Amino acid sequence: MLALLHTALLSLFFTILVSGTSSAVVKRMTPAHNVGGYVDVGPTADYVFQPSPIPSELPVASEQARNQFLQNGFQKNLQDYLKTYPATTAILVVEAGQILYEAYQGVGSEVSEFYSMSIGKSLTSLAAGQAVCGGLIPSLDQSANMVVPEFGETSFGRSTVRHLLTMSSGAYQSVRSGQPKFTGGIGSNPRTGKPFNGYSWPIRLGQVTVSDILWGPLWERIENKNVHSPGEMFIYKGADTLAISTIVERRTGKPLAAYFDQMIWQKTGPEGPAHWEADRNGATMASSGFQARLKDWGRLAVWILKERKQNTCFGEYLRKATSTQITLPSTLKTSFRGYGYQWWTDNKRAPGFWGLGYAGQMLALNPETDKIMIKFSYRQDSGSGIQFMSIFDRWNKL
């Protein structure tokens, strides 16, 4: 019965993720939150990333390259895409570290900080990789409860770091966008007085903490806990990412966002500020909550592809993180057949590896062609994901 429920729920999740809608749910956020995040909406304090004193170059491609992109019809494809899907607020296209196309519409602009939702999971993986390569996490096969004893003998605690990275802890049955069902809901909506279904708003409002969810009183109220043995099955779960973040924070002695800033973000040479949400204790809300300017997202993507090619520990980690480490059940209705370390892989519609976020955010990187496409939106309209994948696929076949 649990296996059937798992398949049905994940099928619904992936149908929404790829097609943008279902008969029951349309994934959306407010336009203002898409381009400004949730800074200052509650008493918690986001981690603030400062611009680099010397931003890295992200030049516009040559006129010849841009003309070729135009003549091949891809600029028109993207312009038509923006008209068809008006909830799209920004698109960036980069090849070999140079911008071929950059566009904003609606509330999006060059200085907007685009909120990433679940692409934050992929960023958390980058920080975990640096912690492994720096010797702070001795092995991906170390048990989580050896680092965080509070996990105890739950599926979180019995999982290895690798299990958490591949969303295979089995800690609970997801019911909505990787979140569990909490008996009685969670927190309290100040406008309605009713509890929330998920943990993001209660965290940013300072009502609950990351530790409350992972081993505290809210863990006790999660339904369908410890549904599988670690490593047994892929189940998309935001709290697996929170557990990874907690491990990194214990080993580094600082918030995951601060470690990410030091080991990843500043190395990309950002030109603008950025933010990552935190709970009231300063723990990073790692499963979502990172926001930055579009070009700085591009700088990050370029840096990832460059580092992935290096003959280093981190380069090897990235190659594994962005290739299939666990196969998704064949019964799921999704374009993706695999998952790496918090990255989506083996897309049957398009090449490369992908970061995906609620409301239609997509970060597509192809290491074979050095091509990148990024888009942000505040609503995932029907067909928007498939169409974006199609454009990326055709462009990579040139």
Side-chain angles (χ1 to χ4, degrees), residues 218-229:
L218 290 174
W219 169 253
E220 298 303 321
R221 288 171 43 207
I222 290 177
E223 299 182 8
N224 295 319
K225 295 192 292 287
N226 304 319
V227 291
H228 293 288
S229 298

Side-chain angles (χ1 to χ4, degrees), residues 230-242:
E232 182 180 345
M233 180 179 290
F234 172 92
I235 304 177
Y236 186 78
K237 299 179 298 306
D240 277 13
T241 312
L242 296 180

Side-chain angles (χ1 to χ4, degrees), residues 143-223:
S143 294
N145 58 14
M146 295 294 292
V147 183
V148 185
E150 293 92 331
F151 287 151
E153 291 302 312
T154 66
S155 289
F156 284 137
R158 292 184 294 110
S159 290
T160 64
V161 176
R162 192 186 310 274
H163 292 146
L164 296 170
L165 285 168
T166 57
M167 294 284 188
S168 62
S169 72
Y172 61 78
Q173 185 67 62
S174 300
V175 297
R176 179 179 177 270
S177 299
Q179 299 209 25
K181 182 178 180 180
F182 295 90
T183 300
I186 178 172
S188 177
N189 188 322
R191 291 183 294 116
T192 66
K194 296 180 179 179
F196 294 99
N197 291 320
Y199 57 68
S200 295
W201 270 104
I203 286 178
R204 67 174 61 103
L205 292 175
Q207 297 173 352
V208 304
T209 66
V210 170
S211 61
D212 289 338
I213 295 163
L214 295 178
W215 64 77
L218 290 174
W219 169 253
E220 298 303 321
R221 288 171 43 207
I222 290 177
E223 299 182 8

